[in-house]
Amino acid sequence: MFETFRNWRRERILRRPPFDDRMWAAVLDRYPFTRPLSADERSRLRDSVILFLDEKTIVGARGLEVGHEMRLAIATQACMLILNLDLDFYRGWTEVIVYPGEFVAEYDYVDHDGVQHHVEEPMTGESWLAGPVILSWEDAERRGEAQGYNVVIHEFAHKLDMLNGDANGYPPLRAGMSREEWTRVFDAAYRGFCARVERNEQTGVDPYAAESPAEFFAVLSEAFFEIPEVVRAEHPEVYGQLAAFYRQDPGLRLAAAREHAAEAGAR
Ligand SMILES: [Zn+2]
C-alpha cells in the first residue's frame, strides 16, 4: 500500500518538472561528465533531478537569490553521484544552502592537551552530518577552470560518506563489495598520496586530498567524475572501487563518446 502511494506520488512529481527542455539541454551541456551521457542515462538523471528538487530545499544565504537555473545546476551535479544508486542515498536531510562566495565556518574544538580553540575558517563548501549541504556559488561555478575541481560533487560525496556516521572515507558499500578490499585499497592509496604531497610532487588530483581519509574520498570522487582518466592512471585500484561504489564508469563513458565523435567526424 505504502509502496503504491510512493510510486503514485513519484509519477505525479515526474510529470511536472520545474524546468523546461531548453534548460535541461543547457545544463547537460555544461559539465564534462554530463555531456557524454547516453539517452537512457539522461532520462534517468532527469528523473532523479526532478525528485531531488521536489525533496530538497535549496536556499540562498547572504542575500543570494537562487534562481531556477542555479537550482537545476546543483541538483544535476548532485544526482550524477546517484545516477545508478537511488535518491534514498540522500536521505535524512533536506537543505542545501548557497552562499554567493566563500563563507566563514566557525567551530570550537578541544585539542589533545584539553585546550579549547575557536576557529574561523573560509570555506567553499561544507556538509553537516544529518544537516545541510552548504555551497559557495562562486566556487560551484568554477567548473572547467581547475580540472577535477567540483565543489558540488565534493560535498555530496561527503553526504554519501556520512550515511554511516561521521565522514571518514568509508561510505556504506554496495552489495558484493568487500570492506577489506576497500580499506586496503584506500589506505594504501592515501598513504602513498600523502607521501607524494609531502615531497612536493606534482599530483593529478588536488593535494587537498591529503588532508584526511574523508577528504581523500571526496576529492577522488570529484576527480573520478571530472577527470576519470587521471584517476584511473594514478590510482587504478581506487578507480575500480569508486566505479563499483557509484556503479558507473565515467572514463569508459568519456572514451565511448570520444570514439563516437571521431567516427562521426570521419564520416
Ligand atoms: Zn571536504
Side-chain angles (χ1 to χ4, degrees), residues 154-155 158 208 215 218:
H154 183 102
E155 294 310 325
H158 279 320
Y208 179 67
E215 296 308 332

Side-chain angles (χ1 to χ4, degrees), residues 123 125-127 154-155 158 208 211-212 214-216 218-219 222:
M123 310 275 278
E126 199 179 12
S127 286
H154 183 102
E155 294 310 325
H158 279 320
Y208 179 67
E211 192 79 7
S212 68
E215 296 308 332
F216 189 72
V219 171
E222 278 175 79

Side-chain angles (χ1 to χ4, degrees), residues 5 13 17 26-27 32 36 50 82 93 105 126 141 165-166 168 207 210 226 243:
F5 175 71
I13 295 162
V27 80
I50 298 170
I82 54 159
W93 58 277
E126 199 179 12
E141 274 291 88
D166 282 323
N168 56 5
E226 288 253 338

